[in-house]
Amino acid sequence: MTRVAYLGPEGTFTHQAAVRWVRAQAAAGAGPTTSPARGGDGTDGGADVELVPALTVTDVYAGVASGELDHGIVAIENSVEGYVVPSLDAIVGSEDVVAIDEVVLEITFDAFVRPGHGELIEVTAHPHGLAQCQDFVVRSGAVPVPASSNAAACRDATEHQIAIGPAICGELYGLDLLEAGVEDFRGARTRFLTIVRRDRAQVALAAARAAGADAQWRTMLALTPHVTGPGVLARITQAFGAGGVNLSSLITRPLKALEGKYVFVLTVDAAPWEPAVREVLDGLLRAGDSVKTLGVFPARGELDEALSTDHVPVGSVRAGAGADELDRGLLWA
């Protein structure tokens, strides 16, 4: 029996991502299951798979690191709210856990109430859920109350609360629909990573490479410069550019308890075993940086479309803007 953990309870977006990943593995003949069993979202999971709800994301990482759990599914980035910081920090700080696959879900929220509810004075969801439904929260006039997950908010909703969560939560927890599609932005998506112990990752990745020899890959890296100062970030990005390796994401996270020290989390559009990437990483190691691969997963193109102008920050300027616009947008005046 393969044990796959997710942030519970039943009905979370992470639960849906876990079911989707298990079914995709089974369909590809690469997973631990070929026979049907009911998942918590009403879809088929697998008879050889136990989907394990965890109380916290930290519990998912800890269970995978200890070997108690075979795989974990964790949210890592939302297209509206950005990186899920606790999960990002957990994978950066884990010695024994690495990502080997990803799932991308479209995210939509419904608002639910208890049958025969009383005065609705609070609205509850995971903090990311509340942030993605701000217009509804304001319209409701209710006080926002954070929950450990959107499904937990629905499960534990009182007669005085509006609970925001995935559509399946209404059926799962006996709630009435108050309003459907209450998210601020349509088409929001969340990336979820499939994590395993590092000592199992190479075996799993070798099998994935054999199954899709021409697949495109993405790699997440943690890079910590030991000597900082002017030009350190330029040196790192120039190394990838000179090596012909595309950087699709770069963020910084503080090193805990070290003021002014940071780790760069990079995503590159290639696998770490490709010669160009190896050459860049060799150069960074020679420069004295510490480098760790956080994840390697197939790039399936879900997030590769061109950026819509609707999502460019208001007040941005482009080439051809008038002098007044440039002065205002860039504070050149």
Side-chain angles (χ1 to χ4, degrees), residues 250-333:
L250 187 155
I251 63 170
T252 60
R253 292 296 300 152
L255 290 174
K256 305 306 182 188
L258 293 176
E259 185 177 355
K261 299 292 185 180
Y262 297 89
V263 56
F264 297 114
V265 180
L266 316 173
T267 302
V268 301
D269 294 338
W273 53 78
E274 295 179 26
V277 181
R278 293 190 63 153
E279 184 174 349
V280 172
L281 298 184
D282 279 340
L284 293 171
L285 293 172
R286 290 194 300 271
D289 301 324
S290 291
V291 186
K292 178 171 72 168
T293 294
L294 303 177
V296 186
F297 32 85
R300 300 186 178 95
E302 295 99 329
L303 302 176
D304 291 343
E305 69 274 11
L307 178 68
S308 168
T309 55
D310 293 340
H311 296 289
V312 173
V314 176
S316 298
V317 295
R318 302 186 67 184
D324 289 344
E325 285 184 277
L326 291 170
D327 284 346
R328 178 180 174 80
L330 302 179
L331 298 180
W332 278 355

Side-chain angles (χ1 to χ4, degrees), residues 15-318:
H15 185 200
Q16 295 179 45
V19 172
R20 179 176 293 188
W21 182 76
V22 168
R23 295 187 70 187
Q25 292 295 294
T33 178
T34 55
S35 53
R38 185 181 179 276
D41 65 351
T43 60
D44 288 343
D48 298 334
V49 174
E50 180 186 3
L51 295 177
V52 182
L55 289 176
T56 68
V57 171
T58 302
D59 291 337
V60 177
Y61 278 94
V64 171
S66 69
E68 178 185 355
L69 302 166
D70 299 290
H71 301 83
I73 307 295
V74 293
I76 194 67
E77 184 183 17
N78 177 266
S79 61
V80 174
E81 289 302 306
Y83 277 93
V84 181
V85 171
S87 188
L88 180 64
D89 284 349
I91 199 168
V92 168
S94 176
E95 182 178 358
D96 297 318
V97 173
V98 65
I100 58 166
D101 206 350
E102 70 174 354
V103 177
V104 179
L105 285 185
E106 289 199 17
I107 303 298
T108 184
F109 293 90
D110 288 351
F112 300 100
V113 293
R114 286 284 172 204
H117 63 82
E119 182 184 3
L120 299 171
I121 59 175
E122 295 179 340
V123 56
T124 181
H126 185 274
H128 270 238
L130 291 171
Q132 293 176 70
C133 304
Q134 275 296 297
D135 288 348
F136 173 80
V137 171
V138 172
R139 280 195 291 109
S140 73
V143 176
V145 176
S148 61
S149 72
N150 297 304
C154 294
R155 179 196 63 193
D156 301 333
T158 71
E159 63 177 7
H160 298 293
Q161 288 182 322
I162 304 167
I164 297 175
I168 188 63
C169 286
E171 178 184 349
L172 278 173
Y173 299 115
L175 302 174
D176 289 343
L177 179 66
L178 178 66
E179 186 175 333
V182 297
E183 65 274 7
D184 295 339
F185 299 97
R186 299 293 185 265
R189 285 169 293 182
T190 295
R191 292 173 55 226
F192 300 84
L193 297 180
T194 302
I195 57 174
V196 299
R197 279 183 59 89
R198 189 170 289 271
D199 55 11
R200 297 182 60 181
Q202 286 185 303
V203 175
L205 290 170
R209 291 171 65 186
D214 298 328
Q216 301 296 310
W217 297 86
R218 283 200 174 103
T219 303
M220 282 183 66
L221 300 165
L223 192 151
T224 310
H226 289 262
V227 179
T228 59
V232 62
L233 182 56
R235 172 179 62 80
I236 292 167
T237 57
Q238 286 171 3
F240 286 94
V245 178
N246 187 56
L247 271 177
S248 56
S249 175
L250 187 155
I251 63 170
T252 60
R253 292 296 300 152
L255 290 174
K256 305 306 182 188
L258 293 176
E259 185 177 355
K261 299 292 185 180
Y262 297 89
V263 56
F264 297 114
V265 180
L266 316 173
T267 302
V268 301
D269 294 338
W273 53 78
E274 295 179 26
V277 181
R278 293 190 63 153
E279 184 174 349
V280 172
L281 298 184
D282 279 340
L284 293 171
L285 293 172
R286 290 194 300 271
D289 301 324
S290 291
V291 186
K292 178 171 72 168
T293 294
L294 303 177
V296 186
F297 32 85
R300 300 186 178 95
E302 295 99 329
L303 302 176
D304 291 343
E305 69 274 11
L307 178 68
S308 168
T309 55
D310 293 340
H311 296 289
V312 173
V314 176
S316 298
V317 295
R318 302 186 67 184

